[in-house]
Every structure is written in structure tokens, then in C-alpha cells.
Amino acid sequence: MEETDVIRSLAALAQPLRLQVFRALVVVGDAGLTPGAIHDALGVPPATLSFHLKELVNAGLVTQERASRNLIYRANYERMNGLLGYLTENCCQGAACVKKDAGPACGC
């Protein structure tokens, strides 16, 4: 993953509502959610939700698909995993991040 893509992704997630939307999409998996379902779950005004979904799509963290008259938004797991991989690539100076008796040493 390129550094500019990492910065764009992190910037998109650095807003509370976008983070909530992204996490909601991660939870539902491949089924995705319509804007109406996201609105019902989070109580976000439609225009505000549309703006934030656009930012997540532009960052590559979310995909958008038209299904008949509905838009379906899904988390882009490949991009999410690429971002996590980039962030943990040099974790713990190349040593294993998990201590056997103490749990995660650096959150990986």
C-alpha cells in the first residue's frame, strides 16, 4: 500500500461519524447496508450521511454498488487489511508481537 493511500484512509477514518459508519459496515460483512439502513442505525441526516459515505468511498475503504433502485455500501476488506498490514509491517522490530503469557505486546 502506498503512503498516500494510507494517509487518505486514515484521514477518512479520523472523523467520528465516518468511523462509526465504517465499523457498522465491517460488522454486517458482505451483505452491506443501504443508506436507509445506516440512517436508521445511526440516526444521521441523509445529506450528512451521503457526504461521509462519499469520503469513505473516495478513500477506498468502502465500495458502492447499485442493486436495482438501492445503493449498497460495503467495507472494502482488502483495503482495510492493507492498511492494517502497513501499520503493523515493522511492528516490534521484526519480533513476534504476542507474548505467550501476557497477550498482545503491541496490539497486533
Side-chain angles (χ1 to χ4, degrees):
M1 180 172 244
E2 297 291 323
E3 189 173 279
T4 55
D5 295 330
V6 171
I7 292 168
R8 188 177 310 122
S9 295
L10 291 174
L13 293 173
Q15 199 284 339
L17 180 56
R18 286 195 289 265
L19 183 58
Q20 289 175 1
V21 169
F22 183 73
R23 292 187 75 201
L25 292 171
V26 168
V27 167
V28 298
D30 289 335
L33 292 171
T34 63
I38 298 169
H39 164 73
D40 292 345
L42 301 177
V44 181
T48 301
L49 180 59
S50 177
F51 170 79
H52 290 296
L53 284 168
K54 179 182 67 95
E55 291 298 311
L56 289 167
V57 169
N58 287 339
L61 292 166
V62 170
T63 63
Q64 176 190 50
E65 177 186 339
R66 182 162 292 281
S68 185
R69 294 180 2 202
N70 295 314
L71 291 174
I72 307 295
Y73 289 91
R74 293 180 180 90
N76 182 344
Y77 294 102
E78 184 178 332
R79 179 68 162 236
M80 178 187 77
N81 289 331
L83 176 61
L84 293 172
Y86 180 89
L87 294 173
T88 60
E89 184 174 31
N90 299 312
C91 181
C92 305
Q93 299 177 357
C97 292
V98 178
K99 293 182 181 178
K100 291 184 186 225
D101 58 346
C106 65
C108 330

